[in-house]
């Protein structure tokens, strides 16, 4: 495992281009585009203000930089550096901006969710969509980029509008049987839309592309409901994480629950491997065993060494006592992610924040539990293989695969607190983001990784 | 009945005795009254009655008393004491026979009464004890009743309390329910209120939004604009099309196409899955048929017609199997047949398996328990043993490894040659020592060998002498036989003084009769023999023999005599040899053979004698 040098970064804005060739990162009001392989700066764009959001167009030709404070969006072309485009939302304000899947339209959401403006880069035409709903996930595009579903709110009722992205024609418009719709999400095959209600009520509705209600599911009543939803990449399963600390898996044939995964604080099943991160005080000479020795060993000497140990069952995980009289209590399944091959599901129970649970979807049972020393901030699956990268806001990167797991110290002066990470398309590298730096981490090929795993004692 | 009463009365109160007597007298039949009187008489009565009795008959009032008695007796139904008189004036005569009869009867009555009294008394006692028992029972029962009554009261009390509690709880539950209801109502009302409020707020919000929208949008905000260098081409390279009804229809079409594709894809998947499942099912069925058909011949007779139908089904299905296209037909027609037949077969299989299970469990129950336990123990022991062995082996390996390492390190060292030299020197010295030892041993051996050869030479010489002797002896005997027959025994005696064996043989031949017994004994066991040798000097029968023997080989015999029992033992072989010799001698046979045998044994013994010192 190799690490690139550290680059400056602000607001955690760093993204790989969809074709995997470029890396865009923001430093204050500057946008830097690098080549992924050489890390040479290819383009440097200067925006009008501090960038708050960036997004690559689907064809990797344009980058959108949003400056919400100024109500501005600037678009840059990679092919024509001199080309520029500036969209000003004026007094209407701007709270969100995104590309349409064709990469030629930009959807800007005005303040107070008054409307969504669809700006085209091809024609002068501007479209408005009124009544967008102010919710967590109100816009979703199908994976093939053909359709957009939009949550709307009119006359105190929730509606969903389905648009054809090519000409922004309204295809379907239907009301949903929800109290207060919170999110919508297309299935990866683009034929089923999952719609879920506010956390006050456990309700998830499944609509066909043509607006028919396929099924409605509710696990219980009178308690806080759905917290997170994820489709499996094969569109076969819909995982619903809720405030009761359970994940329910619905199938795509009957839309009934297949199984539910509880997240108890103690694990008794001896079949389940529990990896526990253990910290060891550094020993001179041994300190650089867990990672490739960096040039100057001053940095790692300051921090202690950490490694995984297999805890013997029963294991009791560290739990957080949630404050129940506040809004958004720290309980329930807050994060859910399927592996790209749909074989594994990674979850995090928010009142056991240090643990990541990995479930085997083939056998529908718990596979492994990773307990970190500090709360898990993000995890993301390798796009190519079942390999999970985890960061906890510390200076380490954690990797899990069915073969085992390991922790890697990010080298560099001082601590590189990994707050977020994102995988490269190929799964060979990933960007590690700290508060004001970014660092690329190159993973070796599979064989060398497995040997590294063994060397690092990921399994022991 | 009256009897009973009086008895009990008397038992109860002694004061009312007389009264009761009278009262009873009134009611009683004469006989019973009589007995009553008897009873009374048996018990000490009041004084005046006594005096009356004592002064009943005197000289003066015989007549009166007789008449009185007569009167009394007649009243009690006895025949009159007087003779029947013809006339009333004449004085009646006392009939002695009647008196005696009366007396006898009275006595009999008395006895009877006494017996009855006894019976009554015992009965009374019995009844008294019964009474006591019953009374104690009664009191016990009373106590029990009391306790149970108390218990009952306690239980009732508890019941009451519980009921009270229950009522309270019910009340509480009701209250809680009410509370819940109330809370639910409150929640519901709050929820409706909240919803209402929310709606109101939302409406307001919407209104505001609308207003804002109008304000923002109507102002013709110059700022709202896109500043673009030049428009770029569409990603697909096409030009944008106008929105018309046609596009709408096209969009619809596309949407449905997508949906259709999805459904088709799913259907295909499901079909594939279905086909696979069917295949599995068919295979299972086939296997079941093949599994069940061979054993069906036997159960066909036993099992009822259900199997019969299955078999026919099986046959049908076997035909069906060939037409595999059948499954691709509509499911519903095939499905039923398939599932039914499989279900039936499954049932058969299940029953069969259950039967087998039962058998197995039976077998297990019979012979499983102790065997299993023992085997387990054995297993444990075995494993322990093996573990121990492994431990030992490991240790051995370790030590060997250490040794190897030491060796290796030693080899590696520069001092190896030096050390090797040291070792060589040491070895040399040791070899030298060994060499000298070896030499010494060799010398010894040679000495021994020399002595042996000497002995052999000596032996050869002796043998020669012996041969000569024998020849001379034979000659002598031959001469004797022909000339002096009568001097035989003397000659022998003479000879015996010179030469052992022949002498002894002769002696044995002569004293065959007396020596036979000890010989046999000695033949029996070597222990006896050793005893014999010990006791040789004492036994008179063998004393001669002993003497001769001692003459033949002085030092050997002395040795034998001086030996302690332990030392004799190794000599037993020699002893046995002599035994052999004796037995040969004692056997009747040609003297020639005997002699040759003798000589042979003699040489043997001689060698042994040589060995002894």
């Amino acid at each position: 495992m190799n690490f690139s040098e550290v680059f400056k970064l602000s607001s955690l804005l760093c993204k790989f281009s969809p074709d995997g060739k470029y890396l865009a990162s923001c430093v204050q009001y500057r946008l830097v585009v690098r080549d992924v392989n050489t890390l040479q700066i290819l383009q440097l764009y200067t925006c009008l203000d501090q960038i708050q959001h960036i997004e690559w167009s689907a064809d990797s030709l344009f980058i959108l930089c949003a400056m919400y404070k100024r109500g501005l969006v600037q678009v840059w072309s990679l092919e024509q550096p001199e080309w520029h485009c500036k969209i000003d939302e004026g007094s209407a304000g701007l709270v969100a901006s995104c590309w349409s899947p064709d990469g030629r339209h930009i959807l800007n959401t005005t303040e107070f969710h008054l409307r969504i403006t669809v700006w085209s880069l091809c024609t002068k035409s501007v479209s408005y969509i009124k009544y967008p709903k102010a919710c967590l996930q109100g816009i979703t595009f199908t994976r093939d980029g053909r359709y957009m579903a939009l949550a709307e709110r009119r006359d105190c009722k929730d509606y969903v509008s389905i648009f054809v992205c090519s000409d922004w024609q309204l295809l379907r418009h239907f009301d949903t049987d929800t109290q207060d719709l919170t999110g919508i999400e297309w299935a990866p095959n683009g034929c089923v839309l999952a719609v879920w209600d506010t956390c006050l009520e456990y309700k998830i509705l499944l609509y066909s592309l043509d607006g028919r209600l396929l099924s409605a599911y509710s696990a219980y009543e009178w308690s806080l409901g759905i917290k997170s939803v994820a489709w499996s990449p094969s569109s076969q399963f819909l995982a619903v994480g809720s405030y009761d600390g359970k994940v329910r898996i619905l199938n795509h044939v009957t839309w009934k629950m297949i199984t539910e995964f509880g997240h108890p604080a103690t694990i008794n099943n001896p079949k389940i491997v529990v990896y526990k991160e253990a910290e060891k005080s550094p020993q001179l000479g041994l300190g650089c065993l867990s990672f490739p020795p960096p040039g100057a060993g001053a940095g790692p000497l300051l921090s202690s060494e950490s490694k995984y140990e297999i805890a013997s069952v029963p294991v009791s995980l560290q739990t957080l006592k949630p404050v129940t009289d506040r809004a958004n209590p720290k309980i329930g399944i807050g994060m859910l992610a399927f592996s790209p091959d749909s074989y594994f599901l990674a979850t995090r129970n928010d009142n056991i924040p240090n643990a990541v649970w990995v479930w085997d979807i083939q056998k529908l049972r718990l596979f492994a539990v990773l307990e970190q020393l500090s709360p898990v901030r993000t995890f993301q699956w390798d796009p190519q293989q079942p390999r999970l990268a985890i960061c906890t806001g510390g200076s380490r990167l954690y990797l899990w695969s069915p073969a085992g797991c390991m922790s890697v110290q990010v080298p560099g002066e001082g601590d590189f607190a990994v707050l977020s990470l994102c995988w490269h398309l190929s799964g060979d590298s990933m960007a590690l983001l700290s508060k004001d730096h970014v660092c690329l981490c190159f993973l070796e090929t599979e064989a060398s990784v497995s040997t590294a795993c063994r060397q690092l004692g990921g399994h022991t | 009945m009256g009897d009973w009463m009086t008895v009990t009365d008397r038992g109860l109160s002694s004061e009312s005795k007389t009264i009761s007597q009278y009262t009873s007298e009134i009611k009683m039949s004469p006989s019973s009254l009589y007995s009553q009187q008897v009873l009374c008489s048996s018990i000490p009565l009041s004084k005046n009655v006594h005096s009356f009795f004592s002064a009943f008959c005197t000289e003066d009032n015989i007549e009166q008393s007789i008449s009185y008695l007569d009167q009394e007796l007649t009243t009690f139904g006895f025949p009159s004491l007087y003779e029947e008189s013809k006339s009333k004036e004449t004085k009646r005569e006392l009939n002695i026979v009647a008196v005696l009869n009366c007396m006898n009867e009275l006595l009999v009555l008395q006895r009877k009464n006494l017996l009855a009294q006894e019976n009554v008394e015992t009965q009374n006692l019995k009844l008294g004890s019964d009474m006591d028992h019953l009374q104690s029972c009664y009191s016990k029962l009373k106590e029990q009743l009391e306790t149970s009554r108390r218990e009952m009261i306690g239980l009732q009390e508890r019941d009451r309390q519980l009921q009270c509690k229950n009522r309270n709880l019910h009340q509480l539950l009701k209250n809680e329910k009410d509370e819940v209801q109330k809370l639910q109502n409150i929640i519901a009302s709050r929820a409706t209120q909240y919803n209402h409020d929310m709606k109101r707020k939302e409406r307001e919000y919407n209104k505001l939004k609308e207003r804002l929208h109008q304000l923002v949008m109507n102002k013709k905000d110059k700022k709202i604009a896109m500043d673009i260098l030049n428009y770029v081409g569409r990603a697909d390279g096409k030009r944008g099309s106008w929105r018309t009804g046609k596009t709408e229809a096209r969009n619809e079409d596309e949407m449905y196409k997508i949906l259709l594709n999805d459904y088709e894809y799913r259907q295909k998947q499901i079909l594939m899955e279905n086909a696979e499942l069917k295949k599995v099912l068919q295979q299972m069925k086939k296997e079941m048929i093949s599994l069940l058909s061979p054993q069906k011949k036997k159960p066909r007779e036993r099992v009822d017609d259900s199997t019969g139908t299955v078999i026919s089904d099986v046959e049908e299905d076997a035909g069906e199997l060939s037409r595999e296209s059948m499954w691709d037909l509509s499911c519903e027609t095939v499905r039923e047949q398939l599932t039914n037949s499989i279900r039936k077969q499954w049932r058969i299989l299940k029953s069969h398996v259950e039967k087998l299970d039962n058998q197995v469990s039976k077998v297990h129950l019979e012979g499983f328990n102790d065997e299993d336990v023992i085997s387990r123990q054995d297993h444990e022991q075995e494993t322990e043993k093996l573990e121990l062995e492994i431990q030992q082996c490991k240790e051995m390996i370790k030590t060997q490894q250490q040794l190897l390492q030491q060796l290796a390190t030693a080899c590696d060292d520069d001092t190896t040659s030096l050390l090797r030299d040291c070792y060589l020197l040491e070895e040399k010295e040791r070899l030298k020592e060994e060499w000298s030892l070896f030499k010494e041993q060799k010398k010894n051996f040679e000495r021994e060998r020399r002595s042996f050869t000497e002995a052999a030479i000596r032996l050869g010489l002796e043998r020669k002498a012996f041969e000569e002797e024998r020849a001379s002896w034979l000659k002598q005997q031959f001469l004797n036989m022909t000339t002096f027959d009568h001097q035989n025994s003397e000659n022998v005696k003479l000879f015996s003084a010179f030469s052992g064996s022949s002498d002894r043989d002769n002696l044995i031949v002569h004293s065959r009769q007396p020596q036979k017994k000890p010989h046999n004994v000695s033949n029996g066991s070597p222990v006896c023999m050793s005893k014999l040798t010990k006791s040789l000097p004492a036994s008179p029968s063998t004393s001669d023999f002993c003497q001769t023997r001692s003459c033949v080989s002085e030092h050997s015999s002395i040795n034998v005599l001086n030996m302690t029992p332990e030392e004799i033992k190794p000599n037993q072989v020699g002893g046995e040899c002599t035994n052999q010799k004796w037995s040969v001698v004692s056997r009747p046979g040609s003297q020639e053979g005997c002699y040759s045998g003798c000589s042979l044994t003699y040489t043997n013994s001689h060698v042994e004698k040589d060995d002894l010192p």
Side-chain angles (χ1 to χ4, degrees), chain A residues 212-452:
Chain A
R212 283 179 300 122
L213 177 67
L214 293 174
S215 179
Y217 176 75
S218 171
Y220 52 84
E221 285 175 294
W222 309 119
S223 182
L224 288 178
I226 296 167
K227 195 165 191 183
S228 53
V229 172
W231 282 96
S232 80
S234 61
S235 308
Q236 269 184 313
F237 304 111
L238 179 66
V240 184
S242 51
Y243 279 93
D244 64 345
K246 280 178 180 165
V247 173
R248 289 174 177 82
I249 308 275
L250 310 184
N251 69 29
H252 75 309
V253 181
T254 61
W255 301 111
K256 297 247 168 65
M257 188 184 77
I258 302 175
T259 185
E260 60 178 30
F261 296 148
H263 292 68
T266 50
I267 290 148
N268 296 314
N269 191 341
K271 275 188 188 167
I272 292 156
V273 185
V274 181
Y275 297 101
K276 214 167 186 155
E277 190 193 355
E279 204 150 54
K280 277 209 282 186
S281 52
Q283 288 172 356
L284 279 171
L286 288 171
C288 41
L289 264 178
S290 64
F291 46 85
L301 274 179
L302 291 171
S303 58
S304 58
E305 188 186 348
S306 104
K307 72 186 241 189
Y308 280 110
E309 282 170 357
I310 290 180
S312 55
V313 287
V315 182
S316 54
L317 304 168
Q318 226 179 332
T319 54
L320 211 75
K321 188 122 176 111
V323 186
T324 44
D325 56 350
R326 295 263 181 86
N328 301 317
K330 285 200 168 175
I331 50 166
I333 310 303
M335 284 199 272
L336 272 180
F338 277 97
S339 70
D341 55 4
S342 308
Y343 284 177
F344 295 101
L345 171 71
T347 59
R348 194 192 82 159
N349 189 356
D350 289 349
N351 53 344
I352 311 176
N354 293 11
V356 176
W357 310 63
V358 182
W359 306 85
D360 187 343
I361 295 299
Q362 275 182 302
K363 289 174 183 158
L364 293 174
R365 62 175 185 84
L366 186 58
F367 190 78
V369 178
L370 284 81
E371 196 185 15
Q372 310 296 132
L373 287 171
S374 37
V376 173
R377 283 185 81 97
T378 332
F379 53 73
Q380 198 177 14
W381 287 96
D382 181 337
Q384 298 300 326
Q385 50 175 310
R387 183 160 61 169
L388 187 71
I390 302 163
C391 64
T392 60
S395 61
R396 279 180 210 93
L397 167 71
Y398 306 95
L399 283 171
W400 176 90
S401 77
C405 55
M406 61 174 176
S407 82
V408 184
Q409 174 85 33
V410 180
E413 301 96 46
D415 260 2
F416 187 97
V418 186
L419 298 178
S420 180
L421 50 85
C422 62
W423 280 93
H424 184 257
L425 182 74
S426 65
D428 292 339
S429 58
M430 65 177 120
L432 309 177
L433 317 179
S434 78
K435 194 164 158 271
D436 21 49
H437 289 100
V438 60
C439 157
L440 248 68
C441 164
F442 299 97
L443 293 121
E444 285 98 354
T445 51
E446 233 179 334
S448 56
V449 165
S450 64
T451 53

